[in-house]
Amino acid sequence: MDDPPTDNHKSTDEVDKAVETRENEQEGPENIFQLTIRLPHEPDSVQITVSTNEQMQDIRQILVELPGTAQYSCFHLEHNGERLNDFLELSEIKNLSSDPTFTLVEDPYTEKDARLHIVKVRELIGIEGDRTDLVQGLCAGVSILDLVASQDATERKAFSQGGQSGHAMSDFDLDAPGSICNLPSLPRRSPPKTVKSLALSPWNPPPYNLRSKGHLLYLQVTTNEGEQHQITGHIGGFFVSKSSNSKFDPFPRPSPKGFSAHSLLVLIDKISPSFTASVESLHESRNSLDALSTYQLTNAIPVSPWFVSNIQTALSCHQSDLGRSQESYLMSGGEEAETLRDWNEEFQTMRELPTETVQERVFRERLTSKLFADYTDASARGAVLIARGEVSPLNPTEDENAQIFVYNNIFFSYGADGVGTFASEGGDEAARAATGRDVAGVRAISQLDVKGIFSPGTVVVDYLGRRIVCQSIVPGIFKQRAPDEHQIDYGAVDGPGVVAADDDFNAPFKAISEALKIKPHDVWDKEGKKHHLQGSVETKGLKGTDGRKYILDLYRLTPLDICWVDEYWKEVLPENDSTGSSDLSSRKEAYPHRMTVLRMELVQDLHRIKAFEFIASQQGKIRQDKSLTTSSPQANGEVDTKQLSGSGKLDGDEDNQLKERNATPVEGKPSEESLDMKGFSYSLNGDAFTGQSPKSKEDLATWAKDEHDVREACEFLRNTVIPRLIYDLKEAEVGFPMDGMSLSRLLHKRGINLRYLGRIATLCADGGARLNALRGLCIQEMVARSFKHLSFGHLRPLPSYLVPSCVSHMLNCLLGLGFNSDPKPEVEDHFSAVFGSPNYTFEQLNPKRMQSDILQEVRRRFAFHLDVESLLSVRKGPLLREISLKIGLQLETKDYTFSSHTKSQTDLNAPTNGILSAIQQVNGHSTNSKKKKKGGDRDSPASSVASMPLRAPTTFTPDDIVNICPVIKDATPKSSLAEEAFEAGKFSLSQQQKDLGSELLLESLTLHEQIYGILHPEVARFYVNLSMIYYQLDDKAAAAEFARKAVIVSERTLGIDSAETVLSYLNLGLYEHSNGNTSQALAYFRHALDMVKVIYGPKHPDSMTTTNNVAVMLQHMKFYHDSRVWFEISLKMSEEMFGKDSENTATLLFQLAQALVLDGDSKGSVTCIRDAYNIFVAKLGPDDRNTKEAESWLEKLTQNAVSVAKHAKDLQTRKLRRVQLTSRVALGARAQPLIGQTLTDINPIVASAASSAIGGLDSRNIEELMRFIEGGEASKRQLSKKKPGHSNPKRRGGSTTNVETQHEVTEHGQNTDFFELSMHLPRHWGPAAHRLSLDRTFSVLNRPASAYPGHVPLNGFERVALAAGSAVGALINPRRADLIAALGEATAQPYFITRLRDTLLSNPTGRRILRDRPRITSSTLSLPALRKLPPTSLGATYAAWLDREGVSPDTRDSVRYIDNEEEAYVMQRYRESHDFYHALTGLPVMVEGEVALKAWEWANFGLPMAALSVFAVVRLKPAERVRFWTTYGPWAIRNGWRAQSVINVYWEEELETDVNVLRERLGLEQPPDLRSIRKQILDERRKAKETAGSAKSSKLMKTPI
């Protein structure tokens, strides 16, 4: 019997044990150690940190990737003179000491080694070129995070230089339509050129006689100096030969140009003087980007954006590169034999690997991820070639749909019913659906990992209108068996009429059926013989010739959706059956196929619900047996289905609820008896309603029961799951989907098939703003999918050259109707001249027919009656994006014109709609050979053009279709080990085991990155989850770091405009705000909102949370008016989405009231708080906490508003009575504005501000009112306590002083919401959710709020006084570091520190420093580790200087008097780097050394404090002053001006750099050793003193007494 899913955390214990075992394995002093590698060339040795568990091939890979050893690719390692095997673990090496040393020995090259070495060198020096890939499109796998961040930095710099205050949201229009042109342009890297060309020489390959002399290949290199060199690749390395373009002499060139080297990299350095500098410039350019944005994707196919800039498509961008066409040869060889892989053997061997230990599981799952990625890539490449007609079929005489192919050891076939297998199920449509379900089935089987059963690798590719199925070749599948043997050993053979049931398949098939909740059952063949099968009869088993058992045809693992079949499917009648026209018409309106199976998620959820019901009934029986009565319906075995979550799950973690129910105590005592689950069983018959014919009454009864269960599941889907999903979306219980992909993920998670989109849209009619938005999204998705199916029909028979014409014409007929109501297809004449003019279906297409076809497809596939008006009302931009993603289009980036009211503007910008070329042709100025009209006199082009009528402009032209990429569906399983560790970590954290939970989370992070690779969609999702957890653990810096990684990986693997990328940007913005980087956070929010408008359109239902967060951030930055505007936008959206009387609206009214107070609108604030109070009273009652707090605010704000009005009236009366105002009275009128207002802001609140000086009419003074508004008085006590949310969702409230976020994490730890910002605003925020920090009038007794922790705002007088006092004090006592620090801060504003910040912003490394905000303390720098570095390294020099001078990096004071938070960090960075300046220059900690260093700092940084510190030279002794003016002063000025700005040095990344190399790079000379000079002088004085003393003693001895 099946056990209920009550022990979901069983894997937690397993992972805990695994981690403990792993820790035990890693114990010992030699687990992690430093390994020294001796090199044959400079640098003579390197040190790397390794583990005893690593293999030698891992060390080889490390050496290949290290910058200092990148020149080596063909080598081996030796230890004590013995060669080490690459597959040997370090722990297995004999006589391995605690500080081992290996020797790198260069090996002779083979042809393969030489080819791969050239490929590596081309990548290292940045000339690998832009490859035109079969699978990857233009700009595949790009990230634009750096562009978004740099744009914000540029805007901030512009604001700063202009003396203005601004922010990223200044000119943002939320209601404006989305435009892809608003997004940052996709980056096109133009790295510095290191050489002009590097390619194989035309003399290649070597002749036979020279191969025997060791010649491998010939190269030609053109350096930046313009010199061309012929190079011979030899077994011993590379050398410059005597060959030229016209003369073949591949032997070494004589001196002085006879250069040679083992590495081609070293050889190019010898022949090109500028090579080293250009390579360093290239590396600096690469290092300016985030490393994640430059790594190559290895375990995932990079996503190609659906829009590409015309910069990428310009002819000038395609550079001449001979090596580009040679790369396939360089990587694969001439015969390409090394690229052929036995995919099936690799798959099955991988599945047979052991999984006993954690290391074995890691290795197996890592291999699985890599193998599936390689196979998917190879399958996609083969499918593209087949779709283009470049691979010959094995059966060319068969019908095209029945043709099969073998390419690269992969079996290809079309996803069509070529042999009539699915004739009764819907033909080609059924076959197409079956292939998609088969991929999902293979993925499920791979995830289950049942021992003893194997499945072929399966991938489905949609390309150019064709669906191509790619499978690894199963051994024996084509073998002809004996006449009395079946081709299939288990399941249906050539249809359900013949059934095989080999007993060897029972055990593995049973394990699969139990896991998938599929019921074993009987089936009958055409002779009436009964066979007992463990799964569906269509699921087949085959014994391969390799002895393995294979499972095939997994498209019907779950039962049919019989309710849908009964309602919308029409039987396919035989061809000879005569039918009326009405029957044919109804058939056209019926669903296209009968392959309508239920989703596996629905079956699993239904199983859990049945288990819950069984447990509840068992507990009820136990209570009844013990005479314990209860009124709870659950006690009697009843389950309230209204409490089920959308996928049929119970609220919360249903598995935990099952465990709690199983352990429910009776009469307060723990239950000692467990429930007997042997009586529970729930599974579904996969062959129900498939035409089986039971014979006996018992079989008939069993079959009827099975069919009843299946029908019940279908009804549950329709009547419970779908309505619950709609309810959750209406009440904002789940995040609202943004596009078709996010909507599909949400429906699939709930177990809902996409064919129910029409039903969902129907149920959403007239359901409010949120449901209307859901209805619109469903209609958009139905139209996009219908267009996809129609386009496949038009594209399938087309040659590739007509695809752009077909696609552009179809888009014009659907989307460009408002711009041109009668578009014509554009086919170029020279194609017709060469290939003729066959009639293709798309040429007869017009807008009316397109609309009719779309409406019919929507009716057929989704059972939804869409009218033309609704079709035309679909948002054009998001629909274009959905169509492009589903077909694989890449369009040119521009604002496409969809309506005629912008035609005049379009005419001005002719290239937008393709009219420029037509005008040029009419005027006779065209340089383009294209003709926009068929026919014409080809012998006289000029007359043809002159007589050609002007074509009306259209929205799309064939030139807009830049590329078409394949759309791939793969069967890659997820890593179970990484998921187990993550779940165990979350469970430990929920049990308040923070240390263990954090350790498990980091373990899961390591597993994710090891198994998937760093760049993978699953890793991106894990980064998102991990950032949320760290944010909740109050580790905001770590949260921001993981969120930043999530953004980059999401952009590269999911798409720069995917819904999950939007989520990552919003989370990153939240975390940056929490870290104090609010300006950067707003830039991320703006970019996210721009993407939302492109993906969905304006006013996404969940944008209200984002707009509210923007308002809070602007309020934090003291942009009070802008904050008010954004609060008003949020309020308007809340009223539209939830109504004017909802709790969400009341909450926003409360926040808006506070914003109005800050903006000086007291009257408006009273109105808002009164409306909020009335709503709270009506919804929550007068005793609710929120109501009481609103009442308190209403009372006091009303009193304040009355006082303000009286003061305004009184002031106006005085102005009328005293016409001649003195200057003194005028000054008094603008003395102290209430809320930071100026005299120019003339409104009543200004007048009331002066009332405190004139005489108050209010019983409270301004300070008391401010304290109240800030949260003082009665509400201050409430602010100090954290207010947990209530269990009742109607009365949730919380204290969230920071920006609110909304999360929904699935039971698998994945995020499904796309506006994830800790709680969800529409349901959770209360009036106490946000507190204000008022910007009061500036004075000594009344300072503005601190901009950062520890900040002390100063006025001008105070700043001058502080500067003067600290300067005098520091001059008197230069050892007073606090006075020097205060002097530096007081004199750095307003110009000097801003200039220093701009220096950081202008440098790539400086920008990274500002972004990362590193700190230099003893906790961030491990001094013991620094002392172990090589003596000449910067880290060791720094540590030695600290030890010698007896100082610590923790003695630097925090910045207090810099007003700008970012500039305060710049000052802190400058201050904490001071000891590095000492270490770099060698100057000691003494007055003379400090004065010299300050002089150098002044010349390099330009800070006044450094210049003022030089005045301390007056305190030096005369000899010291002379030494300063003659030696150290000139040195400081000369080196400070000449050296690079040292503020841009990322010290933490340079710790292993040789200090002399760093000085040379910075242009810094080291001054004379001051301590040595002083020591020498002291020694000389001591010797002179001793000599003088000896002479005096001698003289005294000679003098007579």
Side-chain angles (χ1 to χ4, degrees), residues 1147 1150 1154 1176 1185-1186 1189 1193 1278-1279 1283 1293-1297 1300 1325-1331:
T1147 299
F1150 193 100
Q1154 298 172 340
F1176 282 134
R1185 174 181 58 83
N1186 296 330
E1189 189 170 359
W1193 274 80
Q1278 298 176 5
L1279 278 173
K1283 302 172 183 178
S1295 174
T1296 56
T1297 57
E1300 296 298 325
W1325 284 21
H1330 178 62
R1331 298 296 181 190

PDB file of all heavy atoms in Angstrom, residues 1147 1150 1154 1176 1185-1186 1189 1193 1278-1279 1283 1293-1297 1300 1325-1331:
ATOM      1  N   THR A1147      -4.980  51.658   4.153  1.00  0.00           N
ATOM      2  CA  THR A1147      -3.562  51.673   4.509  1.00  0.00           C
ATOM      3  C   THR A1147      -2.795  52.712   3.698  1.00  0.00           C
ATOM      4  O   THR A1147      -1.972  53.467   4.234  1.00  0.00           O
ATOM      5  CB  THR A1147      -2.965  50.277   4.266  1.00  0.00           C
ATOM      6  OG1 THR A1147      -3.644  49.334   5.083  1.00  0.00           O
ATOM      7  CG2 THR A1147      -1.479  50.256   4.605  1.00  0.00           C
ATOM      8  N   PHE A1150      -3.522  56.171   4.831  1.00  0.00           N
ATOM      9  CA  PHE A1150      -2.743  56.481   6.034  1.00  0.00           C
ATOM     10  C   PHE A1150      -1.333  56.944   5.653  1.00  0.00           C
ATOM     11  O   PHE A1150      -0.824  57.946   6.162  1.00  0.00           O
ATOM     12  CB  PHE A1150      -2.696  55.234   6.910  1.00  0.00           C
ATOM     13  CG  PHE A1150      -2.203  55.494   8.301  1.00  0.00           C
ATOM     14  CD1 PHE A1150      -3.094  55.617   9.351  1.00  0.00           C
ATOM     15  CD2 PHE A1150      -0.849  55.610   8.570  1.00  0.00           C
ATOM     16  CE1 PHE A1150      -2.643  55.845  10.641  1.00  0.00           C
ATOM     17  CE2 PHE A1150      -0.392  55.851   9.843  1.00  0.00           C
ATOM     18  CZ  PHE A1150      -1.294  55.967  10.896  1.00  0.00           C
ATOM     19  N   GLN A1154       0.627  60.904   5.876  1.00  0.00           N
ATOM     20  CA  GLN A1154       1.962  61.229   6.383  1.00  0.00           C
ATOM     21  C   GLN A1154       2.785  61.957   5.332  1.00  0.00           C
ATOM     22  O   GLN A1154       3.513  62.904   5.630  1.00  0.00           O
ATOM     23  CB  GLN A1154       2.661  59.953   6.819  1.00  0.00           C
ATOM     24  CG  GLN A1154       1.942  59.228   7.954  1.00  0.00           C
ATOM     25  CD  GLN A1154       2.548  57.852   8.235  1.00  0.00           C
ATOM     26  OE1 GLN A1154       3.228  57.297   7.388  1.00  0.00           O
ATOM     27  NE2 GLN A1154       2.287  57.332   9.408  1.00  0.00           N
ATOM     28  N   PHE A1176     -11.358  51.888   8.281  1.00  0.00           N
ATOM     29  CA  PHE A1176     -10.966  50.947   9.328  1.00  0.00           C
ATOM     30  C   PHE A1176     -12.121  50.673  10.290  1.00  0.00           C
ATOM     31  O   PHE A1176     -12.319  49.543  10.728  1.00  0.00           O
ATOM     32  CB  PHE A1176      -9.762  51.491  10.097  1.00  0.00           C
ATOM     33  CG  PHE A1176      -8.465  51.324   9.378  1.00  0.00           C
ATOM     34  CD1 PHE A1176      -7.552  52.365   9.296  1.00  0.00           C
ATOM     35  CD2 PHE A1176      -8.131  50.124   8.758  1.00  0.00           C
ATOM     36  CE1 PHE A1176      -6.358  52.224   8.633  1.00  0.00           C
ATOM     37  CE2 PHE A1176      -6.945  49.967   8.092  1.00  0.00           C
ATOM     38  CZ  PHE A1176      -6.050  51.021   8.018  1.00  0.00           C
ATOM     39  N   ARG A1185      -6.566  47.665  16.485  1.00  0.00           N
ATOM     40  CA  ARG A1185      -5.375  48.471  16.714  1.00  0.00           C
ATOM     41  C   ARG A1185      -5.188  49.502  15.623  1.00  0.00           C
ATOM     42  O   ARG A1185      -4.843  50.664  15.889  1.00  0.00           O
ATOM     43  CB  ARG A1185      -4.149  47.557  16.781  1.00  0.00           C
ATOM     44  CG  ARG A1185      -2.835  48.299  16.868  1.00  0.00           C
ATOM     45  CD  ARG A1185      -1.674  47.320  16.896  1.00  0.00           C
ATOM     46  NE  ARG A1185      -1.684  46.464  15.716  1.00  0.00           N
ATOM     47  CZ  ARG A1185      -1.175  46.825  14.538  1.00  0.00           C
ATOM     48  NH1 ARG A1185      -0.649  48.014  14.392  1.00  0.00           N
ATOM     49  NH2 ARG A1185      -1.202  45.997  13.513  1.00  0.00           N
ATOM     50  N   ASN A1186      -5.398  49.105  14.364  1.00  0.00           N
ATOM     51  CA  ASN A1186      -5.239  50.047  13.266  1.00  0.00           C
ATOM     52  C   ASN A1186      -6.229  51.190  13.366  1.00  0.00           C
ATOM     53  O   ASN A1186      -5.903  52.350  13.090  1.00  0.00           O
ATOM     54  CB  ASN A1186      -5.414  49.320  11.931  1.00  0.00           C
ATOM     55  CG  ASN A1186      -4.339  48.284  11.699  1.00  0.00           C
ATOM     56  OD1 ASN A1186      -3.222  48.431  12.169  1.00  0.00           O
ATOM     57  ND2 ASN A1186      -4.682  47.219  10.985  1.00  0.00           N
ATOM     58  N   GLU A1189      -5.131  53.636  16.141  1.00  0.00           N
ATOM     59  CA  GLU A1189      -3.988  54.451  15.758  1.00  0.00           C
ATOM     60  C   GLU A1189      -4.397  55.524  14.757  1.00  0.00           C
ATOM     61  O   GLU A1189      -3.945  56.678  14.834  1.00  0.00           O
ATOM     62  CB  GLU A1189      -2.884  53.568  15.168  1.00  0.00           C
ATOM     63  CG  GLU A1189      -1.585  54.312  14.953  1.00  0.00           C
ATOM     64  CD  GLU A1189      -0.451  53.375  14.610  1.00  0.00           C
ATOM     65  OE1 GLU A1189      -0.681  52.150  14.556  1.00  0.00           O
ATOM     66  OE2 GLU A1189       0.670  53.872  14.399  1.00  0.00           O
ATOM     67  N   TRP A1193      -4.081  59.666  15.203  1.00  0.00           N
ATOM     68  CA  TRP A1193      -3.480  60.541  14.196  1.00  0.00           C
ATOM     69  C   TRP A1193      -4.491  61.567  13.701  1.00  0.00           C
ATOM     70  O   TRP A1193      -4.156  62.727  13.473  1.00  0.00           O
ATOM     71  CB  TRP A1193      -2.972  59.706  13.025  1.00  0.00           C
ATOM     72  CG  TRP A1193      -1.593  59.185  13.225  1.00  0.00           C
ATOM     73  CD1 TRP A1193      -1.217  58.108  13.960  1.00  0.00           C
ATOM     74  CD2 TRP A1193      -0.402  59.734  12.678  1.00  0.00           C
ATOM     75  NE1 TRP A1193       0.128  57.945  13.908  1.00  0.00           N
ATOM     76  CE2 TRP A1193       0.680  58.920  13.123  1.00  0.00           C
ATOM     77  CE3 TRP A1193      -0.116  60.813  11.856  1.00  0.00           C
ATOM     78  CZ2 TRP A1193       1.994  59.175  12.765  1.00  0.00           C
ATOM     79  CZ3 TRP A1193       1.195  61.056  11.496  1.00  0.00           C
ATOM     80  CH2 TRP A1193       2.238  60.252  11.947  1.00  0.00           C
ATOM     81  N   GLN A1278       4.629  52.059  20.815  1.00  0.00           N
ATOM     82  CA  GLN A1278       4.263  51.011  19.874  1.00  0.00           C
ATOM     83  C   GLN A1278       5.362  50.760  18.861  1.00  0.00           C
ATOM     84  O   GLN A1278       5.546  49.646  18.406  1.00  0.00           O
ATOM     85  CB  GLN A1278       2.976  51.417  19.130  1.00  0.00           C
ATOM     86  CG  GLN A1278       1.774  51.596  20.062  1.00  0.00           C
ATOM     87  CD  GLN A1278       0.553  52.092  19.308  1.00  0.00           C
ATOM     88  OE1 GLN A1278       0.599  52.202  18.109  1.00  0.00           O
ATOM     89  NE2 GLN A1278      -0.498  52.389  20.030  1.00  0.00           N
ATOM     90  N   LEU A1279       6.093  51.832  18.531  1.00  0.00           N
ATOM     91  CA  LEU A1279       7.140  51.655  17.530  1.00  0.00           C
ATOM     92  C   LEU A1279       8.258  50.770  18.022  1.00  0.00           C
ATOM     93  O   LEU A1279       8.944  50.136  17.247  1.00  0.00           O
ATOM     94  CB  LEU A1279       7.712  53.010  17.130  1.00  0.00           C
ATOM     95  CG  LEU A1279       6.903  53.790  16.090  1.00  0.00           C
ATOM     96  CD1 LEU A1279       7.499  55.168  15.941  1.00  0.00           C
ATOM     97  CD2 LEU A1279       6.885  53.058  14.783  1.00  0.00           C
ATOM     98  N   LYS A1283       5.497  44.246  15.569  1.00  0.00           N
ATOM     99  CA  LYS A1283       4.103  43.815  15.554  1.00  0.00           C
ATOM    100  C   LYS A1283       3.957  42.628  14.614  1.00  0.00           C
ATOM    101  O   LYS A1283       4.011  42.789  13.401  1.00  0.00           O
ATOM    102  CB  LYS A1283       3.206  44.956  15.079  1.00  0.00           C
ATOM    103  CG  LYS A1283       3.346  46.182  15.970  1.00  0.00           C
ATOM    104  CD  LYS A1283       2.608  47.362  15.385  1.00  0.00           C
ATOM    105  CE  LYS A1283       2.810  48.595  16.227  1.00  0.00           C
ATOM    106  NZ  LYS A1283       2.155  49.783  15.669  1.00  0.00           N
ATOM    107  N   GLY A1293      -1.148  43.066  10.062  1.00  0.00           N
ATOM    108  CA  GLY A1293      -0.452  44.344  10.193  1.00  0.00           C
ATOM    109  C   GLY A1293       0.958  44.076  10.636  1.00  0.00           C
ATOM    110  O   GLY A1293       1.247  43.073  11.266  1.00  0.00           O
ATOM    111  N   GLY A1294       1.828  44.938  10.367  1.00  0.00           N
ATOM    112  CA  GLY A1294       3.205  44.728  10.751  1.00  0.00           C
ATOM    113  C   GLY A1294       3.968  46.016  10.746  1.00  0.00           C
ATOM    114  O   GLY A1294       3.581  46.985  10.137  1.00  0.00           O
ATOM    115  N   SER A1295       5.041  45.990  11.462  1.00  0.00           N
ATOM    116  CA  SER A1295       5.929  47.147  11.487  1.00  0.00           C
ATOM    117  C   SER A1295       7.011  46.946  10.471  1.00  0.00           C
ATOM    118  O   SER A1295       7.847  46.074  10.599  1.00  0.00           O
ATOM    119  CB  SER A1295       6.541  47.304  12.890  1.00  0.00           C
ATOM    120  OG  SER A1295       7.482  48.324  12.894  1.00  0.00           O
ATOM    121  N   THR A1296       6.982  47.695   9.446  1.00  0.00           N
ATOM    122  CA  THR A1296       7.960  47.563   8.379  1.00  0.00           C
ATOM    123  C   THR A1296       8.508  48.931   8.068  1.00  0.00           C
ATOM    124  O   THR A1296       8.007  49.648   7.224  1.00  0.00           O
ATOM    125  CB  THR A1296       7.312  46.957   7.118  1.00  0.00           C
ATOM    126  OG1 THR A1296       6.199  47.798   6.786  1.00  0.00           O
ATOM    127  CG2 THR A1296       6.834  45.565   7.352  1.00  0.00           C
ATOM    128  N   THR A1297       9.533  49.295   8.795  1.00  0.00           N
ATOM    129  CA  THR A1297      10.106  50.620   8.593  1.00  0.00           C
ATOM    130  C   THR A1297      10.807  50.726   7.259  1.00  0.00           C
ATOM    131  O   THR A1297      10.969  51.810   6.741  1.00  0.00           O
ATOM    132  CB  THR A1297      11.101  50.928   9.720  1.00  0.00           C
ATOM    133  OG1 THR A1297      12.095  49.909   9.737  1.00  0.00           O
ATOM    134  CG2 THR A1297      10.407  50.962  11.051  1.00  0.00           C
ATOM    135  N   GLU A1300       8.458  47.573   1.852  1.00  0.00           N
ATOM    136  CA  GLU A1300       7.784  46.288   1.991  1.00  0.00           C
ATOM    137  C   GLU A1300       8.062  45.421   0.780  1.00  0.00           C
ATOM    138  O   GLU A1300       8.257  45.895  -0.323  1.00  0.00           O
ATOM    139  CB  GLU A1300       6.268  46.506   2.106  1.00  0.00           C
ATOM    140  CG  GLU A1300       5.858  47.258   3.341  1.00  0.00           C
ATOM    141  CD  GLU A1300       6.231  46.523   4.601  1.00  0.00           C
ATOM    142  OE1 GLU A1300       6.172  45.296   4.612  1.00  0.00           O
ATOM    143  OE2 GLU A1300       6.600  47.176   5.559  1.00  0.00           O
ATOM    144  N   TRP A1325      -0.356  45.409   4.912  1.00  0.00           N
ATOM    145  CA  TRP A1325       0.123  46.658   5.495  1.00  0.00           C
ATOM    146  C   TRP A1325      -0.949  47.288   6.358  1.00  0.00           C
ATOM    147  O   TRP A1325      -2.117  47.329   6.002  1.00  0.00           O
ATOM    148  CB  TRP A1325       0.537  47.635   4.398  1.00  0.00           C
ATOM    149  CG  TRP A1325       1.844  47.279   3.790  1.00  0.00           C
ATOM    150  CD1 TRP A1325       2.441  46.065   3.817  1.00  0.00           C
ATOM    151  CD2 TRP A1325       2.700  48.124   3.051  1.00  0.00           C
ATOM    152  NE1 TRP A1325       3.620  46.111   3.149  1.00  0.00           N
ATOM    153  CE2 TRP A1325       3.807  47.360   2.665  1.00  0.00           C
ATOM    154  CE3 TRP A1325       2.650  49.462   2.683  1.00  0.00           C
ATOM    155  CZ2 TRP A1325       4.855  47.875   1.934  1.00  0.00           C
ATOM    156  CZ3 TRP A1325       3.679  49.976   1.953  1.00  0.00           C
ATOM    157  CH2 TRP A1325       4.768  49.185   1.576  1.00  0.00           C
ATOM    158  N   GLY A1326      -0.533  47.825   7.472  1.00  0.00           N
ATOM    159  CA  GLY A1326      -1.431  48.559   8.343  1.00  0.00           C
ATOM    160  C   GLY A1326      -0.935  49.975   8.499  1.00  0.00           C
ATOM    161  O   GLY A1326       0.089  50.370   7.963  1.00  0.00           O
ATOM    162  N   PRO A1327      -1.654  50.813   9.250  1.00  0.00           N
ATOM    163  CA  PRO A1327      -1.242  52.211   9.379  1.00  0.00           C
ATOM    164  C   PRO A1327       0.124  52.369  10.018  1.00  0.00           C
ATOM    165  O   PRO A1327       0.803  53.353   9.767  1.00  0.00           O
ATOM    166  CB  PRO A1327      -2.340  52.802  10.266  1.00  0.00           C
ATOM    167  CG  PRO A1327      -3.502  51.899  10.089  1.00  0.00           C
ATOM    168  CD  PRO A1327      -2.934  50.539   9.873  1.00  0.00           C
ATOM    169  N   ALA A1328       0.509  51.423  10.857  1.00  0.00           N
ATOM    170  CA  ALA A1328       1.817  51.546  11.501  1.00  0.00           C
ATOM    171  C   ALA A1328       2.926  50.970  10.657  1.00  0.00           C
ATOM    172  O   ALA A1328       4.025  50.749  11.124  1.00  0.00           O
ATOM    173  CB  ALA A1328       1.798  50.838  12.854  1.00  0.00           C
ATOM    174  N   ALA A1329       2.640  50.727   9.382  1.00  0.00           N
ATOM    175  CA  ALA A1329       3.628  50.064   8.545  1.00  0.00           C
ATOM    176  C   ALA A1329       4.787  50.953   8.169  1.00  0.00           C
ATOM    177  O   ALA A1329       5.815  50.485   7.754  1.00  0.00           O
ATOM    178  CB  ALA A1329       2.958  49.557   7.270  1.00  0.00           C
ATOM    179  N   HIS A1330       4.661  52.235   8.317  1.00  0.00           N
ATOM    180  CA  HIS A1330       5.743  53.110   7.885  1.00  0.00           C
ATOM    181  C   HIS A1330       5.796  54.336   8.777  1.00  0.00           C
ATOM    182  O   HIS A1330       4.772  54.925   9.086  1.00  0.00           O
ATOM    183  CB  HIS A1330       5.513  53.537   6.436  1.00  0.00           C
ATOM    184  CG  HIS A1330       6.553  54.482   5.938  1.00  0.00           C
ATOM    185  ND1 HIS A1330       7.880  54.147   5.843  1.00  0.00           N
ATOM    186  CD2 HIS A1330       6.448  55.765   5.524  1.00  0.00           C
ATOM    187  CE1 HIS A1330       8.547  55.177   5.388  1.00  0.00           C
ATOM    188  NE2 HIS A1330       7.700  56.171   5.188  1.00  0.00           N
ATOM    189  N   ARG A1331       7.017  54.690   9.183  1.00  0.00           N
ATOM    190  CA  ARG A1331       7.212  55.873  10.012  1.00  0.00           C
ATOM    191  C   ARG A1331       8.031  56.895   9.242  1.00  0.00           C
ATOM    192  O   ARG A1331       8.867  56.555   8.412  1.00  0.00           O
ATOM    193  CB  ARG A1331       7.960  55.496  11.306  1.00  0.00           C
ATOM    194  CG  ARG A1331       7.186  54.513  12.148  1.00  0.00           C
ATOM    195  CD  ARG A1331       5.906  55.112  12.640  1.00  0.00           C
ATOM    196  NE  ARG A1331       5.168  54.176  13.461  1.00  0.00           N
ATOM    197  CZ  ARG A1331       3.930  54.370  13.857  1.00  0.00           C
ATOM    198  NH1 ARG A1331       3.290  55.459  13.516  1.00  0.00           N
ATOM    199  NH2 ARG A1331       3.330  53.473  14.606  1.00  0.00           N
TER     200      ARG A1331
END
